[in-house]
Amino acid sequence: MFELRGILTEQAEKNEGSKRHYFRIFTAATVLTMLVGALFFRLSGRADDTSFYGALVMICSWTLALTAASFLVPKGRGGMLTPFDKKITKGCFGTLGKKMCFLNAYYDIFRSEDYSSALEELSDLKERGLSPAEAGVAELYTAICYRRMGYSTNAAISARNAAQAQTGMPDTALLAARCYADGGLYSEAEDYYTQLMDTAEKDKIFPYVFAEAGDVYLRDGKGAAAAECYSRSISNGVSLGASTGGMVLAKILEKDIPGARDWYTAAMLTGVDDQDGFTKRLEQICSAAGISTGDITGQS
């Protein structure tokens, strides 16, 4: 299934080793080198070859320190963020502490999949006096963590907060809609899907959102609203397999059996997505409506 652009992609560039691992290595190397350099100076009381080597070692230690610092700053490791992530974080996290918290959370989410640690980093980040834009970004990544951990309601709340801050819109609104739907909060999800369908038609994006919205209305038992979503999908020429199959189910909920039969014929001609899944849903909805699937399919 389509995931949000950039921020949720599972194909984000992989980092070989975590930032903390590299930081420990550079810290240990820097401290050791500085100690060796200091020892050279200590053993030499005059400007001779020994003190020269001590100075050389000290220069090397500072080089290591600067290299380590470059691994802590987003600009130095810009390749680790996708273009979309860079776009929504542009101008945010102006201090080193904020940047470190954000990067730690980002790496935990997309590299090690350590969502609990990512949430700890994000919690620390939220306590650092964030601007409205920074707070929106923090809420967005918090939503990603909660969703991947299976906490749909928590994810929906964080995604809603990010959407209200206009962070990563309209992708964030889609995330909020899906999280609300996953948590069974259909009314809240439907509010977002109403906006998203208008956006999809206006900006020619999210071609799947009409059928996706129709599925949510079906789960909420709203056949007429579901039929409207599927009709918009068909009118726009997108997700035809899913939408014609959805129209069958929507018409059954509306108790329009002749209409359901007609749409079943159209669905079979179009080719329903996931035939096995569609058949199961058809059986379930027919059972709930007190009719036989044969009444729709024409098969005894």
Side-chain angles (χ1 to χ4, degrees):
M1 181 178 287
F2 176 90
E3 282 284 354
L4 301 190
R5 294 174 299 202
I7 51 176
L8 291 185
T9 178
E10 297 292 350
Q11 301 302 318
E13 304 163 68
K14 294 296 182 179
N15 175 35
E16 296 299 330
S18 69
K19 185 179 74 67
R20 292 188 186 89
H21 176 66
Y22 283 119
F23 180 57
R24 292 191 189 101
I25 292 176
F26 276 112
T27 299
T30 300
V31 171
L32 179 61
T33 309
M34 291 181 72
L35 288 175
V36 172
L39 180 61
F40 272 111
F41 277 118
R42 180 67 177 172
L43 294 177
S44 175
R46 60 189 184 283
D48 57 10
D49 290 344
T50 306
S51 60
F52 169 76
Y53 287 121
L56 182 61
V57 172
M58 291 294 285
I59 291 173
C60 291
S61 70
W62 283 109
T63 301
L64 281 172
L66 291 173
T67 304
S70 71
F71 276 83
L72 294 175
V73 182
K75 184 178 292 186
R77 305 187 72 173
M80 295 301 173
L81 304 178
T82 67
F84 186 63
D85 295 321
K86 291 178 183 178
K87 179 180 178 180
I88 65 172
T89 58
K90 185 177 181 180
C92 296
F93 313 127
T95 65
L96 182 60
K98 291 179 182 179
K99 289 178 181 178
M100 288 179 63
C101 286
F102 169 71
L103 283 180
N104 283 340
Y106 188 89
Y107 297 149
D108 284 335
I109 294 170
F110 293 110
R111 273 71 182 181
S112 63
E113 299 184 355
D114 185 357
Y115 305 124
S116 295
S117 294
L119 286 174
E120 291 179 7
E121 294 287 353
L122 290 167
S123 178
D124 185 13
L125 179 61
K126 292 174 184 178
E127 295 175 358
R128 293 177 178 268
L130 303 181
S131 67
E134 291 171 339
V137 172
E139 289 288 355
L140 176 53
Y141 286 91
T142 298
I144 295 171
C145 288
Y146 278 133
R147 191 184 190 207
R148 294 190 175 185
M149 295 172 75
Y151 301 135
S152 301
T153 302
N154 289 12
I157 293 171
S158 292
R160 177 200 63 195
N161 293 340
Q164 289 175 345
Q166 295 297 304
T167 301
M169 289 288 282
D171 303 77
T172 312
L174 179 58
L175 175 60
R178 288 174 169 175
C179 290
Y180 275 124
D182 290 343
L185 300 171
Y186 299 126
S187 178
E188 290 83 352
E190 289 156 8
D191 288 340
Y192 276 104
Y193 276 117
T194 298
Q195 302 170 30
L196 286 164
M197 285 189 289
D198 291 339
T199 300
E201 288 181 326
K202 177 184 176 183
D203 298 335
K204 304 303 179 184
I205 60 174
F206 302 155
Y208 44 79
V209 78
F210 306 98
E212 194 170 304
D215 289 345
V216 171
Y217 279 112
L218 278 183
R219 287 156 62 185
D220 199 17
K222 298 178 179 178
E228 182 180 349
C229 295
Y230 294 128
S231 178
R232 291 176 72 174
S233 180
I234 294 169
S235 296
N236 283 283
V238 294
S239 303
L240 296 181
S243 299
T244 52
M247 285 294 289
V248 178
L249 307 179
K251 290 300 179 180
I252 295 173
L253 285 182
E254 291 186 87
K255 303 186 185 306
D256 180 3
I257 305 306
R261 292 194 191 105
D262 291 340
W263 277 108
Y264 181 81
T265 300
M268 293 302 100
L269 292 173
T270 303
V272 180
D273 296 345
D274 184 15
Q275 180 69 51
D276 291 339
F278 169 73
T279 300
K280 290 180 180 178
R281 294 180 70 189
L282 177 62
E283 291 173 350
Q284 292 170 351
I285 289 182
C286 284
S287 177
I291 63 175
S292 167
T293 55
D295 293 335
I296 305 300
T297 64
Q299 301 173 356
S300 57

